[in-house]
Amino acid sequence: MKKRPQSKKRRAVPVPIASMGDIAFLLIIFFMVCSEVSKDKKMQVVLPLSEHVKKMQAVVVARIAVDENGEIFFDGTRVDNAKDVEWGVRALLTSTISDDQRHVQFKCDSSLPKETFEPVIKAIAAAGGIIEAVGEKQP
Amino acid sequence: MSRKRYSKEKKHRTGEIPTGSFSDIAFLLIIYFLVATTLVKVKSIAADLPSGEKASQSQSDKTPIVNLRGIEIFFNDKKVSVELLNERLEALELGEKEPAKRVIMLESTNGTPYDNYFQALAAISAHQGVVAIVEED
């Protein structure tokens, strides 16, 4: 009869799992801090197409959207007119130091006429914002 | 007698909070966040529009002007397509000029769709032009 060599015996190595909960909760906190909740999901906006659009790198101070019905939204909240946008952006930009902090995201439905969207663009410009006009890449 | 019973109830019990399932709960929450999160990176064009009052005298006649009339685009009063507009703007070599000479006037008539406006805005910005919106009288 052949005997098994003793070195082949398996040892039970305990995996330390005591800190698993801590690691997991740290990950949750990380995700919660880094996440940004989308505020304009419900809006119906068909974005315009262009070959010049690039992935937005700038951090925006405000998000302005004009939906297909011409309703204006400031950070997801409906506002009455372009003047409200101007005051809102102006208020946000009072403490800005550099140009990097002046970017304002502008989303507008591609079918809207000039009378509807241009006052909003002018309002952002008048408040000192750099417009980041959102569009889709033309295939 | 009743006092004695009360003092007995006050005794602290030695009980431990079960923490064994904490990591399972935490990982479930992580999985939830990962599944429910949509990572959106929007694409855009940046346009720094200068704001100011209308000057009493009009700007130099040489300042290029883009007119948007409905779905039609005119560059210095000549009808162009989006591709031709890009070519004309590229020929101006705005990137090599000083900021004051990079100005491109943008005029539009009522009813011009945003789609067309965006095309013009994107073309000007892509060629390092500074957009100046022309106000109607």
mmCIF file of all heavy atoms in Angstrom, chain A residues 24 27-28 48-50 52 54 56 102 106 109-110 112-115 117-118 121-122 125 131-135, chain B residues 26 29-30 41-49 51 86 108 110-115 117-119 122 126 135-136:
data_model
loop_
_atom_site.group_PDB
_atom_site.id
_atom_site.type_symbol
_atom_site.label_atom_id
_atom_site.label_comp_id
_atom_site.label_asym_id
_atom_site.label_seq_id
_atom_site.Cartn_x
_atom_site.Cartn_y
_atom_site.Cartn_z
ATOM 1 N N ALA A 24 -16.913 48.035 2.701
ATOM 2 C CA ALA A 24 -18.136 48.193 1.911
ATOM 3 C C ALA A 24 -18.813 49.526 2.206
ATOM 4 O O ALA A 24 -19.240 50.233 1.287
ATOM 5 C CB ALA A 24 -19.083 47.036 2.214
ATOM 6 N N LEU A 27 -16.977 52.310 0.575
ATOM 7 C CA LEU A 27 -17.312 52.363 -0.860
ATOM 8 C C LEU A 27 -18.653 53.045 -1.094
ATOM 9 O O LEU A 27 -18.803 53.849 -2.004
ATOM 10 C CB LEU A 27 -17.329 50.952 -1.454
ATOM 11 C CG LEU A 27 -15.977 50.344 -1.799
ATOM 12 C CD1 LEU A 27 -16.128 48.864 -2.101
ATOM 13 C CD2 LEU A 27 -15.370 51.042 -3.006
ATOM 14 N N ILE A 28 -19.630 52.732 -0.241
ATOM 15 C CA ILE A 28 -20.955 53.360 -0.367
ATOM 16 C C ILE A 28 -20.831 54.869 -0.196
ATOM 17 O O ILE A 28 -21.359 55.649 -0.994
ATOM 18 C CB ILE A 28 -21.941 52.788 0.677
ATOM 19 C CG1 ILE A 28 -22.296 51.346 0.329
ATOM 20 C CG2 ILE A 28 -23.217 53.634 0.743
ATOM 21 C CD1 ILE A 28 -23.125 50.664 1.361
ATOM 22 N N PRO A 48 -29.893 69.071 -30.671
ATOM 23 C CA PRO A 48 -29.423 69.285 -32.046
ATOM 24 C C PRO A 48 -28.154 68.486 -32.329
ATOM 25 O O PRO A 48 -27.438 68.101 -31.400
ATOM 26 C CB PRO A 48 -29.136 70.797 -32.084
ATOM 27 C CG PRO A 48 -28.860 71.159 -30.681
ATOM 28 C CD PRO A 48 -29.639 70.231 -29.813
ATOM 29 N N LEU A 49 -27.887 68.277 -33.617
ATOM 30 C CA LEU A 49 -26.703 67.500 -34.012
ATOM 31 C C LEU A 49 -25.616 68.412 -34.572
ATOM 32 O O LEU A 49 -25.914 69.393 -35.231
ATOM 33 C CB LEU A 49 -27.073 66.477 -35.090
ATOM 34 C CG LEU A 49 -28.160 65.459 -34.771
ATOM 35 C CD1 LEU A 49 -28.568 64.733 -36.027
ATOM 36 C CD2 LEU A 49 -27.686 64.471 -33.731
ATOM 37 N N SER A 50 -24.382 68.055 -34.282
ATOM 38 C CA SER A 50 -23.260 68.790 -34.875
ATOM 39 C C SER A 50 -22.010 67.916 -34.843
ATOM 40 O O SER A 50 -21.849 67.083 -33.959
ATOM 41 C CB SER A 50 -22.999 70.078 -34.107
ATOM 42 O OG SER A 50 -21.837 70.697 -34.603
ATOM 43 N N HIS A 52 -19.122 69.176 -34.391
ATOM 44 C CA HIS A 52 -18.125 69.867 -33.569
ATOM 45 C C HIS A 52 -18.266 69.615 -32.067
ATOM 46 O O HIS A 52 -17.458 70.119 -31.296
ATOM 47 C CB HIS A 52 -18.195 71.371 -33.821
ATOM 48 C CG HIS A 52 -17.886 71.750 -35.232
ATOM 49 N ND1 HIS A 52 -16.658 71.543 -35.802
ATOM 50 C CD2 HIS A 52 -18.668 72.296 -36.193
ATOM 51 C CE1 HIS A 52 -16.694 71.968 -37.053
ATOM 52 N NE2 HIS A 52 -17.891 72.410 -37.321
ATOM 53 N N LYS A 54 -17.998 68.168 -28.407
ATOM 54 C CA LYS A 54 -16.976 67.386 -27.701
ATOM 55 C C LYS A 54 -17.494 67.028 -26.314
ATOM 56 O O LYS A 54 -18.390 67.714 -25.798
ATOM 57 C CB LYS A 54 -15.698 68.211 -27.563
ATOM 58 C CG LYS A 54 -14.917 68.344 -28.856
ATOM 59 C CD LYS A 54 -13.667 69.163 -28.637
ATOM 60 C CE LYS A 54 -13.890 70.613 -28.972
ATOM 61 N NZ LYS A 54 -12.807 71.508 -28.747
ATOM 62 N N MET A 56 -18.005 67.204 -22.667
ATOM 63 C CA MET A 56 -17.858 68.377 -21.823
ATOM 64 C C MET A 56 -16.872 68.101 -20.677
ATOM 65 O O MET A 56 -17.027 67.143 -19.935
ATOM 66 C CB MET A 56 -19.210 68.784 -21.254
ATOM 67 C CG MET A 56 -19.238 70.178 -20.708
ATOM 68 S SD MET A 56 -20.909 70.758 -20.444
ATOM 69 C CE MET A 56 -21.428 69.711 -19.115
ATOM 70 N N ARG A 102 -17.337 79.640 -14.667
ATOM 71 C CA ARG A 102 -18.427 80.394 -15.288
ATOM 72 C C ARG A 102 -19.254 79.571 -16.275
ATOM 73 O O ARG A 102 -20.103 80.092 -16.961
ATOM 74 C CB ARG A 102 -17.856 81.617 -16.023
ATOM 75 C CG ARG A 102 -17.256 82.668 -15.131
ATOM 76 C CD ARG A 102 -17.185 84.010 -15.843
ATOM 77 N NE ARG A 102 -16.215 84.025 -16.918
ATOM 78 C CZ ARG A 102 -16.498 84.415 -18.163
ATOM 79 N NH1 ARG A 102 -17.725 84.776 -18.492
ATOM 80 N NH2 ARG A 102 -15.565 84.435 -19.098
ATOM 81 N N PHE A 106 -26.403 74.530 -21.205
ATOM 82 C CA PHE A 106 -27.637 74.965 -21.866
ATOM 83 C C PHE A 106 -28.141 73.864 -22.787
ATOM 84 O O PHE A 106 -27.455 73.450 -23.714
ATOM 85 C CB PHE A 106 -27.396 76.264 -22.653
ATOM 86 C CG PHE A 106 -28.608 76.753 -23.388
ATOM 87 C CD1 PHE A 106 -29.700 77.254 -22.686
ATOM 88 C CD2 PHE A 106 -28.682 76.719 -24.770
ATOM 89 C CE1 PHE A 106 -30.833 77.702 -23.363
ATOM 90 C CE2 PHE A 106 -29.807 77.167 -25.452
ATOM 91 C CZ PHE A 106 -30.875 77.658 -24.738
ATOM 92 N N ASP A 109 -34.443 72.270 -26.985
ATOM 93 C CA ASP A 109 -35.038 71.429 -28.022
ATOM 94 C C ASP A 109 -34.720 72.004 -29.400
ATOM 95 O O ASP A 109 -34.838 73.212 -29.621
ATOM 96 C CB ASP A 109 -36.554 71.366 -27.819
ATOM 97 C CG ASP A 109 -37.186 70.286 -28.656
ATOM 98 O OD1 ASP A 109 -37.290 69.154 -28.167
ATOM 99 O OD2 ASP A 109 -37.548 70.565 -29.817
ATOM 100 N N SER A 110 -34.305 71.129 -30.306
ATOM 101 C CA SER A 110 -33.817 71.591 -31.613
ATOM 102 C C SER A 110 -34.877 72.261 -32.486
ATOM 103 O O SER A 110 -34.552 73.006 -33.398
ATOM 104 C CB SER A 110 -33.191 70.418 -32.365
ATOM 105 O OG SER A 110 -34.165 69.435 -32.589
ATOM 106 N N LEU A 112 -37.247 74.401 -31.457
ATOM 107 C CA LEU A 112 -37.772 75.673 -30.931
ATOM 108 C C LEU A 112 -37.323 76.873 -31.756
ATOM 109 O O LEU A 112 -36.203 76.916 -32.241
ATOM 110 C CB LEU A 112 -37.321 75.858 -29.483
ATOM 111 C CG LEU A 112 -38.033 75.025 -28.426
ATOM 112 C CD1 LEU A 112 -37.424 75.287 -27.065
ATOM 113 C CD2 LEU A 112 -39.521 75.307 -28.388
ATOM 114 N N PRO A 113 -38.218 77.856 -31.933
ATOM 115 C CA PRO A 113 -37.833 79.037 -32.714
ATOM 116 C C PRO A 113 -36.993 80.015 -31.890
ATOM 117 O O PRO A 113 -36.975 79.961 -30.659
ATOM 118 C CB PRO A 113 -39.188 79.654 -33.088
ATOM 119 C CG PRO A 113 -40.091 79.256 -31.991
ATOM 120 C CD PRO A 113 -39.625 77.915 -31.498
ATOM 121 N N LYS A 114 -36.338 80.905 -32.608
ATOM 122 C CA LYS A 114 -35.418 81.884 -32.009
ATOM 123 C C LYS A 114 -36.066 82.695 -30.869
ATOM 124 O O LYS A 114 -35.432 82.950 -29.844
ATOM 125 C CB LYS A 114 -34.953 82.813 -33.122
ATOM 126 C CG LYS A 114 -34.074 83.917 -32.675
ATOM 127 C CD LYS A 114 -34.304 85.144 -33.517
ATOM 128 C CE LYS A 114 -33.599 86.335 -32.914
ATOM 129 N NZ LYS A 114 -33.799 87.548 -33.686
ATOM 130 N N GLU A 115 -37.331 83.077 -31.052
ATOM 131 C CA GLU A 115 -38.014 83.913 -30.058
ATOM 132 C C GLU A 115 -38.044 83.247 -28.685
ATOM 133 O O GLU A 115 -38.103 83.915 -27.655
ATOM 134 C CB GLU A 115 -39.459 84.203 -30.482
ATOM 135 C CG GLU A 115 -39.631 84.794 -31.847
ATOM 136 C CD GLU A 115 -39.753 83.747 -32.937
ATOM 137 O OE1 GLU A 115 -38.702 83.306 -33.435
ATOM 138 O OE2 GLU A 115 -40.874 83.367 -33.308
ATOM 139 N N PHE A 117 -35.731 80.643 -27.510
ATOM 140 C CA PHE A 117 -34.448 80.297 -26.869
ATOM 141 C C PHE A 117 -33.453 81.450 -26.786
ATOM 142 O O PHE A 117 -32.633 81.486 -25.877
ATOM 143 C CB PHE A 117 -33.801 79.086 -27.556
ATOM 144 C CG PHE A 117 -33.342 79.336 -28.969
ATOM 145 C CD1 PHE A 117 -32.136 79.971 -29.217
ATOM 146 C CD2 PHE A 117 -34.093 78.933 -30.057
ATOM 147 C CE1 PHE A 117 -31.704 80.200 -30.518
ATOM 148 C CE2 PHE A 117 -33.671 79.163 -31.362
ATOM 149 C CZ PHE A 117 -32.470 79.800 -31.588
ATOM 150 N N GLU A 118 -33.530 82.401 -27.727
ATOM 151 C CA GLU A 118 -32.496 83.449 -27.736
ATOM 152 C C GLU A 118 -32.508 84.326 -26.479
ATOM 153 O O GLU A 118 -31.429 84.661 -25.972
ATOM 154 C CB GLU A 118 -32.578 84.304 -29.008
ATOM 155 C CG GLU A 118 -31.206 84.892 -29.322
ATOM 156 C CD GLU A 118 -31.189 85.798 -30.543
ATOM 157 O OE1 GLU A 118 -31.973 86.762 -30.601
ATOM 158 O OE2 GLU A 118 -30.376 85.525 -31.429
ATOM 159 N N ILE A 121 -30.381 82.506 -23.976
ATOM 160 C CA ILE A 121 -28.948 82.570 -24.294
ATOM 161 C C ILE A 121 -28.396 83.949 -23.922
ATOM 162 O O ILE A 121 -27.345 84.063 -23.291
ATOM 163 C CB ILE A 121 -28.716 82.259 -25.797
ATOM 164 C CG1 ILE A 121 -28.980 80.776 -26.065
ATOM 165 C CG2 ILE A 121 -27.303 82.639 -26.234
ATOM 166 C CD1 ILE A 121 -28.812 80.348 -27.503
ATOM 167 N N LYS A 122 -29.148 84.969 -24.269
ATOM 168 C CA LYS A 122 -28.720 86.335 -23.951
ATOM 169 C C LYS A 122 -28.669 86.560 -22.442
ATOM 170 O O LYS A 122 -27.784 87.253 -21.934
ATOM 171 C CB LYS A 122 -29.666 87.333 -24.601
ATOM 172 C CG LYS A 122 -29.405 87.528 -26.087
ATOM 173 C CD LYS A 122 -30.367 88.534 -26.660
ATOM 174 C CE LYS A 122 -30.170 88.670 -28.158
ATOM 175 N NZ LYS A 122 -31.270 89.397 -28.783
ATOM 176 N N ALA A 125 -25.513 84.996 -21.119
ATOM 177 C CA ALA A 125 -24.363 85.831 -21.502
ATOM 178 C C ALA A 125 -24.324 87.117 -20.683
ATOM 179 O O ALA A 125 -23.258 87.536 -20.224
ATOM 180 C CB ALA A 125 -24.425 86.138 -22.989
ATOM 181 N N ILE A 131 -21.507 79.712 -22.149
ATOM 182 C CA ILE A 131 -22.546 78.738 -22.512
ATOM 183 C C ILE A 131 -21.923 77.428 -22.981
ATOM 184 O O ILE A 131 -21.066 77.413 -23.853
ATOM 185 C CB ILE A 131 -23.482 79.313 -23.592
ATOM 186 C CG1 ILE A 131 -24.229 80.523 -23.017
ATOM 187 C CG2 ILE A 131 -24.470 78.275 -24.101
ATOM 188 C CD1 ILE A 131 -24.882 81.387 -24.042
ATOM 189 N N GLU A 132 -22.377 76.363 -22.382
ATOM 190 C CA GLU A 132 -22.005 75.011 -22.821
ATOM 191 C C GLU A 132 -23.258 74.431 -23.463
ATOM 192 O O GLU A 132 -24.094 73.828 -22.792
ATOM 193 C CB GLU A 132 -21.560 74.156 -21.630
ATOM 194 C CG GLU A 132 -20.218 74.510 -21.051
ATOM 195 C CD GLU A 132 -19.021 74.044 -21.865
ATOM 196 O OE1 GLU A 132 -19.189 73.211 -22.760
ATOM 197 O OE2 GLU A 132 -17.921 74.544 -21.593
ATOM 198 N N ALA A 133 -23.406 74.669 -24.744
ATOM 199 C CA ALA A 133 -24.617 74.228 -25.445
ATOM 200 C C ALA A 133 -24.521 72.727 -25.737
ATOM 201 O O ALA A 133 -23.611 72.288 -26.437
ATOM 202 C CB ALA A 133 -24.783 75.021 -26.728
ATOM 203 N N VAL A 134 -25.464 71.993 -25.198
ATOM 204 C CA VAL A 134 -25.431 70.529 -25.308
ATOM 205 C C VAL A 134 -26.024 70.066 -26.635
ATOM 206 O O VAL A 134 -27.057 70.557 -27.078
ATOM 207 C CB VAL A 134 -26.195 69.879 -24.128
ATOM 208 C CG1 VAL A 134 -26.165 68.360 -24.225
ATOM 209 C CG2 VAL A 134 -25.607 70.328 -22.805
ATOM 210 N N GLY A 135 -25.331 69.160 -27.268
ATOM 211 C CA GLY A 135 -25.811 68.585 -28.527
ATOM 212 C C GLY A 135 -25.340 67.155 -28.669
ATOM 213 O O GLY A 135 -24.624 66.640 -27.811
ATOM 214 N N ALA B 26 -24.171 46.071 3.234
ATOM 215 C CA ALA B 26 -23.378 47.118 2.583
ATOM 216 C C ALA B 26 -23.110 46.763 1.132
ATOM 217 O O ALA B 26 -23.278 47.612 0.244
ATOM 218 C CB ALA B 26 -22.076 47.312 3.336
ATOM 219 N N LEU B 29 -26.136 47.249 -0.947
ATOM 220 C CA LEU B 29 -26.331 48.674 -1.249
ATOM 221 C C LEU B 29 -25.407 49.131 -2.370
ATOM 222 O O LEU B 29 -25.818 49.882 -3.258
ATOM 223 C CB LEU B 29 -26.085 49.523 0.003
ATOM 224 C CG LEU B 29 -27.222 49.574 1.008
ATOM 225 C CD1 LEU B 29 -26.744 50.179 2.321
ATOM 226 C CD2 LEU B 29 -28.392 50.375 0.470
ATOM 227 N N ILE B 30 -24.176 48.665 -2.349
ATOM 228 C CA ILE B 30 -23.227 49.025 -3.416
ATOM 229 C C ILE B 30 -23.747 48.536 -4.755
ATOM 230 O O ILE B 30 -23.755 49.275 -5.739
ATOM 231 C CB ILE B 30 -21.826 48.417 -3.144
ATOM 232 C CG1 ILE B 30 -21.177 49.128 -1.969
ATOM 233 C CG2 ILE B 30 -20.921 48.543 -4.371
ATOM 234 C CD1 ILE B 30 -19.889 48.513 -1.519
ATOM 235 N N LYS B 41 -22.168 61.517 -19.662
ATOM 236 C CA LYS B 41 -21.171 62.541 -19.986
ATOM 237 C C LYS B 41 -21.709 63.258 -21.221
ATOM 238 O O LYS B 41 -21.679 62.693 -22.318
ATOM 239 C CB LYS B 41 -19.817 61.864 -20.260
ATOM 240 C CG LYS B 41 -18.653 62.823 -20.284
ATOM 241 C CD LYS B 41 -18.128 63.136 -18.910
ATOM 242 C CE LYS B 41 -16.989 64.125 -18.973
ATOM 243 N NZ LYS B 41 -16.600 64.637 -17.679
ATOM 244 N N VAL B 42 -22.236 64.436 -21.009
ATOM 245 C CA VAL B 42 -22.858 65.137 -22.139
ATOM 246 C C VAL B 42 -21.818 65.747 -23.062
ATOM 247 O O VAL B 42 -20.711 66.078 -22.645
ATOM 248 C CB VAL B 42 -23.851 66.227 -21.661
ATOM 249 C CG1 VAL B 42 -25.050 65.620 -20.986
ATOM 250 C CG2 VAL B 42 -23.174 67.241 -20.768
ATOM 251 N N LYS B 43 -22.223 65.882 -24.313
ATOM 252 C CA LYS B 43 -21.345 66.505 -25.314
ATOM 253 C C LYS B 43 -21.862 67.911 -25.584
ATOM 254 O O LYS B 43 -23.070 68.116 -25.661
ATOM 255 C CB LYS B 43 -21.355 65.683 -26.599
ATOM 256 C CG LYS B 43 -20.778 64.294 -26.413
ATOM 257 C CD LYS B 43 -20.710 63.567 -27.727
ATOM 258 C CE LYS B 43 -20.335 62.120 -27.519
ATOM 259 N NZ LYS B 43 -21.498 61.276 -27.193
ATOM 260 N N SER B 44 -20.943 68.837 -25.706
ATOM 261 C CA SER B 44 -21.376 70.218 -25.870
ATOM 262 C C SER B 44 -20.366 71.041 -26.655
ATOM 263 O O SER B 44 -19.265 70.588 -26.956
ATOM 264 C CB SER B 44 -21.583 70.857 -24.500
ATOM 265 O OG SER B 44 -20.331 71.001 -23.857
ATOM 266 N N ILE B 45 -20.771 72.265 -26.949
ATOM 267 C CA ILE B 45 -19.839 73.247 -27.527
ATOM 268 C C ILE B 45 -19.826 74.434 -26.562
ATOM 269 O O ILE B 45 -20.850 74.786 -25.989
ATOM 270 C CB ILE B 45 -20.259 73.701 -28.946
ATOM 271 C CG1 ILE B 45 -21.742 74.141 -28.970
ATOM 272 C CG2 ILE B 45 -20.010 72.635 -29.974
ATOM 273 C CD1 ILE B 45 -21.963 75.429 -29.671
ATOM 274 N N ALA B 46 -18.650 75.004 -26.365
ATOM 275 C CA ALA B 46 -18.543 76.138 -25.450
ATOM 276 C C ALA B 46 -18.590 77.430 -26.248
ATOM 277 O O ALA B 46 -17.917 77.561 -27.266
ATOM 278 C CB ALA B 46 -17.249 76.049 -24.664
ATOM 279 N N ALA B 47 -19.416 78.358 -25.801
ATOM 280 C CA ALA B 47 -19.512 79.655 -26.476
ATOM 281 C C ALA B 47 -19.532 80.765 -25.441
ATOM 282 O O ALA B 47 -20.452 80.837 -24.621
ATOM 283 C CB ALA B 47 -20.764 79.702 -27.338
ATOM 284 N N ASP B 48 -18.483 81.571 -25.462
ATOM 285 C CA ASP B 48 -18.416 82.705 -24.541
ATOM 286 C C ASP B 48 -18.932 83.919 -25.299
ATOM 287 O O ASP B 48 -18.226 84.481 -26.138
ATOM 288 C CB ASP B 48 -16.969 82.910 -24.088
ATOM 289 C CG ASP B 48 -16.865 83.922 -22.954
ATOM 290 O OD1 ASP B 48 -17.927 84.386 -22.496
ATOM 291 O OD2 ASP B 48 -15.739 84.231 -22.539
ATOM 292 N N LEU B 49 -20.168 84.279 -25.024
ATOM 293 C CA LEU B 49 -20.779 85.382 -25.754
ATOM 294 C C LEU B 49 -20.525 86.681 -25.001
ATOM 295 O O LEU B 49 -20.939 86.815 -23.859
ATOM 296 C CB LEU B 49 -22.289 85.167 -25.907
ATOM 297 C CG LEU B 49 -22.756 83.823 -26.452
ATOM 298 C CD1 LEU B 49 -24.263 83.810 -26.542
ATOM 299 C CD2 LEU B 49 -22.176 83.560 -27.814
ATOM 300 N N SER B 51 -21.197 90.260 -23.683
ATOM 301 C CA SER B 51 -22.423 91.034 -23.509
ATOM 302 C C SER B 51 -22.065 92.504 -23.361
ATOM 303 O O SER B 51 -21.026 92.848 -22.803
ATOM 304 C CB SER B 51 -23.193 90.552 -22.283
ATOM 305 O OG SER B 51 -22.445 90.777 -21.133
ATOM 306 N N ASN B 86 -18.327 76.172 -42.641
ATOM 307 C CA ASN B 86 -17.124 75.669 -41.949
ATOM 308 C C ASN B 86 -15.865 76.000 -42.743
ATOM 309 O O ASN B 86 -14.868 76.421 -42.172
ATOM 310 C CB ASN B 86 -17.232 74.156 -41.740
ATOM 311 C CG ASN B 86 -18.043 73.822 -40.516
ATOM 312 O OD1 ASN B 86 -17.759 74.281 -39.424
ATOM 313 N ND2 ASN B 86 -19.066 73.018 -40.690
ATOM 314 N N SER B 108 -30.081 86.541 -36.591
ATOM 315 C CA SER B 108 -31.092 85.541 -36.970
ATOM 316 C C SER B 108 -32.463 86.179 -37.022
ATOM 317 O O SER B 108 -32.766 87.101 -36.264
ATOM 318 C CB SER B 108 -31.079 84.380 -35.974
ATOM 319 O OG SER B 108 -31.218 84.868 -34.667
ATOM 320 N N ASN B 110 -36.729 85.894 -36.888
ATOM 321 C CA ASN B 110 -37.714 85.165 -36.078
ATOM 322 C C ASN B 110 -38.088 83.863 -36.775
ATOM 323 O O ASN B 110 -38.201 83.814 -38.003
ATOM 324 C CB ASN B 110 -38.969 86.014 -35.881
ATOM 325 C CG ASN B 110 -38.762 87.057 -34.798
ATOM 326 O OD1 ASN B 110 -37.792 87.015 -34.045
ATOM 327 N ND2 ASN B 110 -39.669 88.005 -34.727
ATOM 328 N N GLY B 111 -38.230 82.841 -35.998
ATOM 329 C CA GLY B 111 -38.609 81.540 -36.544
ATOM 330 C C GLY B 111 -37.437 80.639 -36.865
ATOM 331 O O GLY B 111 -37.621 79.480 -37.228
ATOM 332 N N THR B 112 -36.224 81.171 -36.710
ATOM 333 C CA THR B 112 -35.039 80.328 -36.948
ATOM 334 C C THR B 112 -35.001 79.210 -35.904
ATOM 335 O O THR B 112 -35.018 79.481 -34.711
ATOM 336 C CB THR B 112 -33.747 81.172 -36.844
ATOM 337 O OG1 THR B 112 -33.818 82.212 -37.811
ATOM 338 C CG2 THR B 112 -32.507 80.335 -37.082
ATOM 339 N N PRO B 113 -34.964 77.958 -36.350
ATOM 340 C CA PRO B 113 -34.957 76.872 -35.362
ATOM 341 C C PRO B 113 -33.610 76.767 -34.633
ATOM 342 O O PRO B 113 -32.569 77.133 -35.192
ATOM 343 C CB PRO B 113 -35.237 75.615 -36.191
ATOM 344 C CG PRO B 113 -34.821 75.964 -37.563
ATOM 345 C CD PRO B 113 -34.969 77.435 -37.729
ATOM 346 N N TYR B 114 -33.669 76.275 -33.418
ATOM 347 C CA TYR B 114 -32.458 76.150 -32.599
ATOM 348 C C TYR B 114 -31.437 75.237 -33.266
ATOM 349 O O TYR B 114 -30.232 75.439 -33.130
ATOM 350 C CB TYR B 114 -32.818 75.631 -31.205
ATOM 351 C CG TYR B 114 -31.613 75.467 -30.291
ATOM 352 C CD1 TYR B 114 -30.885 76.560 -29.878
ATOM 353 C CD2 TYR B 114 -31.191 74.193 -29.881
ATOM 354 C CE1 TYR B 114 -29.772 76.418 -29.065
ATOM 355 C CE2 TYR B 114 -30.083 74.046 -29.070
ATOM 356 C CZ TYR B 114 -29.378 75.158 -28.657
ATOM 357 O OH TYR B 114 -28.275 75.014 -27.863
ATOM 358 N N ASP B 115 -31.914 74.264 -34.004
ATOM 359 C CA ASP B 115 -31.042 73.321 -34.697
ATOM 360 C C ASP B 115 -30.056 74.068 -35.608
ATOM 361 O O ASP B 115 -28.851 73.827 -35.587
ATOM 362 C CB ASP B 115 -31.911 72.363 -35.524
ATOM 363 C CG ASP B 115 -31.137 71.146 -35.990
ATOM 364 O OD1 ASP B 115 -30.160 70.792 -35.314
ATOM 365 O OD2 ASP B 115 -31.498 70.574 -37.025
ATOM 366 N N TYR B 117 -29.379 77.330 -35.488
ATOM 367 C CA TYR B 117 -28.630 78.264 -34.632
ATOM 368 C C TYR B 117 -27.430 77.543 -34.007
ATOM 369 O O TYR B 117 -26.323 78.064 -33.959
ATOM 370 C CB TYR B 117 -29.582 78.751 -33.541
ATOM 371 C CG TYR B 117 -29.195 80.046 -32.866
ATOM 372 C CD1 TYR B 117 -29.662 81.264 -33.337
ATOM 373 C CD2 TYR B 117 -28.402 80.049 -31.729
ATOM 374 C CE1 TYR B 117 -29.345 82.452 -32.706
ATOM 375 C CE2 TYR B 117 -28.073 81.230 -31.090
ATOM 376 C CZ TYR B 117 -28.558 82.428 -31.575
ATOM 377 O OH TYR B 117 -28.234 83.595 -30.943
ATOM 378 N N PHE B 118 -27.701 76.332 -33.554
ATOM 379 C CA PHE B 118 -26.656 75.515 -32.915
ATOM 380 C C PHE B 118 -25.545 75.163 -33.904
ATOM 381 O O PHE B 118 -24.362 75.185 -33.553
ATOM 382 C CB PHE B 118 -27.295 74.239 -32.341
ATOM 383 C CG PHE B 118 -26.352 73.365 -31.566
ATOM 384 C CD1 PHE B 118 -26.034 73.636 -30.254
ATOM 385 C CD2 PHE B 118 -25.762 72.248 -32.161
ATOM 386 C CE1 PHE B 118 -25.166 72.834 -29.539
ATOM 387 C CE2 PHE B 118 -24.893 71.439 -31.462
ATOM 388 C CZ PHE B 118 -24.592 71.734 -30.143
ATOM 389 N N GLN B 119 -25.958 74.862 -35.144
ATOM 390 C CA GLN B 119 -24.965 74.534 -36.188
ATOM 391 C C GLN B 119 -24.005 75.704 -36.386
ATOM 392 O O GLN B 119 -22.785 75.518 -36.468
ATOM 393 C CB GLN B 119 -25.673 74.234 -37.520
ATOM 394 C CG GLN B 119 -26.570 73.029 -37.515
ATOM 395 C CD GLN B 119 -25.821 71.721 -37.641
ATOM 396 O OE1 GLN B 119 -24.625 71.708 -37.875
ATOM 397 N NE2 GLN B 119 -26.517 70.626 -37.438
ATOM 398 N N ALA B 122 -21.863 76.287 -33.254
ATOM 399 C CA ALA B 122 -20.838 75.241 -33.156
ATOM 400 C C ALA B 122 -19.713 75.489 -34.153
ATOM 401 O O ALA B 122 -18.531 75.337 -33.821
ATOM 402 C CB ALA B 122 -21.466 73.874 -33.401
ATOM 403 N N ALA B 126 -15.989 76.283 -32.990
ATOM 404 C CA ALA B 126 -14.969 75.299 -33.376
ATOM 405 C C ALA B 126 -13.784 75.951 -34.070
ATOM 406 O O ALA B 126 -12.668 75.439 -34.000
ATOM 407 C CB ALA B 126 -15.588 74.247 -34.284
ATOM 408 N N GLU B 135 -28.565 92.276 -32.093
ATOM 409 C CA GLU B 135 -29.912 92.538 -31.589
ATOM 410 C C GLU B 135 -30.761 93.167 -32.681
ATOM 411 O O GLU B 135 -30.266 93.944 -33.495
ATOM 412 C CB GLU B 135 -29.838 93.523 -30.412
ATOM 413 C CG GLU B 135 -29.105 92.968 -29.220
ATOM 414 C CD GLU B 135 -30.009 92.729 -28.047
ATOM 415 O OE1 GLU B 135 -31.234 92.776 -28.232
ATOM 416 O OE2 GLU B 135 -29.469 92.490 -26.970
ATOM 417 N N GLU B 136 -32.041 92.848 -32.627
ATOM 418 C CA GLU B 136 -32.947 93.488 -33.583
ATOM 419 C C GLU B 136 -33.317 94.872 -33.063
ATOM 420 O O GLU B 136 -33.367 95.089 -31.861
ATOM 421 C CB GLU B 136 -34.224 92.649 -33.707
ATOM 422 C CG GLU B 136 -34.056 91.512 -34.655
ATOM 423 C CD GLU B 136 -35.315 90.650 -34.719
ATOM 424 O OE1 GLU B 136 -36.354 91.075 -34.224
ATOM 425 O OE2 GLU B 136 -35.206 89.550 -35.257
#
